Amino acid sequence: MNIRKSVLISIVTLNIIGISGCANMNQAQCETANWQAIGYEDGAAGARDSQFSQHRQECAKYGITANIEDYLHGHDKGSKKYCTQTNGFFLGMKGQNYNRNCPQDLAPVFLRGLTDGKQIYSAQRVIDSADETLERLYIRIENFEEVILDKNNLMIADGLVRAERLEIRQQIDSLEISMLELIELIPEYQDAHSRAIRNYESVKQSFANYF
């Protein structure tokens, strides 16, 4: 059986039985394990070759010895699929960090892509922050509007003397001044949000070769 067919069969098997870094291998899985395919799957998923230690311990419980040579051979092939500049770029876009899971000869290329992707991730974070800041501003303005509405309803309620109505009127005036100060900030916050979007588009365009 050639390696491509072997790996394909193993991938299907792994999906069915749910072998992963967090799952335990049972006795049947250890007995029928294709260690080269398992190593490939771990490497292609970005797991370090130290993942073999967990597999070894799991199978040792059943008196089964894991084949480290086959595993490392498969892991090396899987790592070549994972540790590319393009994959590093898209992982960087998601904000993921490097966990030293690439072989020494592949790490520089992968890290170059990861660094490029993180520039887009950082630009997106600035947009998110500006968006959240603007949203909080709108919420604060809405809260003032609600309080002012309640105060207006209270001011015309029955049973209040003139002095009480005047006091409420003064409270409303103060609230309105504070709300207007916030409203005046809207253009500034909107500009910051727009700048963040333009910067994001500029950064993304500079890495158009990845898309």
Side-chain angles (χ1 to χ4, degrees):
M1 183 182 296
N2 62 44
I3 181 62
R4 291 185 62 186
K5 185 174 181 182
S6 174
V7 167
L8 179 60
I9 292 174
S10 181
I11 289 175
V12 172
T13 303
L14 293 178
N15 285 335
I16 294 174
I17 63 180
I19 296 178
S20 69
C22 297
N24 293 326
M25 294 180 66
N26 60 34
Q27 184 171 353
Q29 291 162 0
C30 289
E31 290 174 345
T32 60
N34 181 332
W35 290 107
Q36 185 169 315
I38 293 174
Y40 177 89
E41 186 75 1
D42 285 350
R48 301 177 68 175
D49 56 14
S50 58
Q51 179 72 23
F52 175 80
S53 178
Q54 179 177 336
H55 298 317
R56 180 186 60 77
Q57 292 175 13
E58 289 165 352
C59 291
K61 294 185 297 185
Y62 310 108
I64 298 170
T65 301
N67 190 319
I68 188 169
E69 291 184 3
D70 284 355
Y71 178 88
L72 291 178
H73 182 66
H75 189 277
D76 181 65
K77 290 181 177 294
S79 293
K80 290 177 181 178
K81 178 181 177 181
Y82 178 87
C83 299
T84 65
Q85 184 168 341
T86 299
N87 191 49
F89 174 78
F90 286 105
L91 291 174
M93 279 187 63
K94 298 176 182 178
Q96 295 192 22
N97 296 315
Y98 180 53
N99 63 354
R100 300 184 181 279
N101 52 334
C102 291
Q104 188 174 358
D105 59 326
L106 300 178
V109 173
F110 177 81
L111 287 171
R112 189 178 305 123
L114 189 73
T115 300
D116 290 345
K118 282 197 171 185
Q119 291 189 52
I120 295 182
Y121 174 75
S122 296
Q124 180 62 58
R125 289 290 300 273
V126 175
I127 292 178
D128 295 341
S129 177
D131 187 51
E132 291 173 3
T133 299
L134 186 58
E135 181 63 24
R136 287 196 298 269
L137 179 63
Y138 287 139
I139 291 174
R140 290 179 64 191
I141 292 172
E142 290 174 359
N143 289 339
F144 271 109
E145 289 175 339
E146 292 175 0
V147 174
I148 290 171
L149 178 60
D150 290 341
K151 293 289 185 181
N152 278 314
N153 290 334
L154 178 60
M155 189 173 64
I156 62 176
D158 294 335
L160 294 180
V161 299
R162 183 173 180 277
E164 292 173 323
R165 295 184 196 281
L166 287 173
E167 181 180 352
I168 295 173
R169 179 66 260 177
Q170 291 174 349
Q171 293 175 358
I172 292 173
D173 290 343
S174 177
L175 290 168
E176 288 177 339
I177 291 173
S178 296
M179 184 178 71
L180 288 173
E181 291 175 349
L182 293 179
I183 291 174
E184 291 174 353
L185 292 175
I186 291 177
E188 177 185 340
Y189 283 33
Q190 288 177 331
D191 286 346
H193 187 261
S194 297
R195 286 195 303 272
I197 292 176
R198 289 195 299 271
N199 179 67
Y200 172 83
E201 294 298 336
S202 176
V203 173
K204 187 175 180 180
Q205 182 60 35
S206 67
F207 296 115
N209 58 301
Y210 284 103
F211 298 96

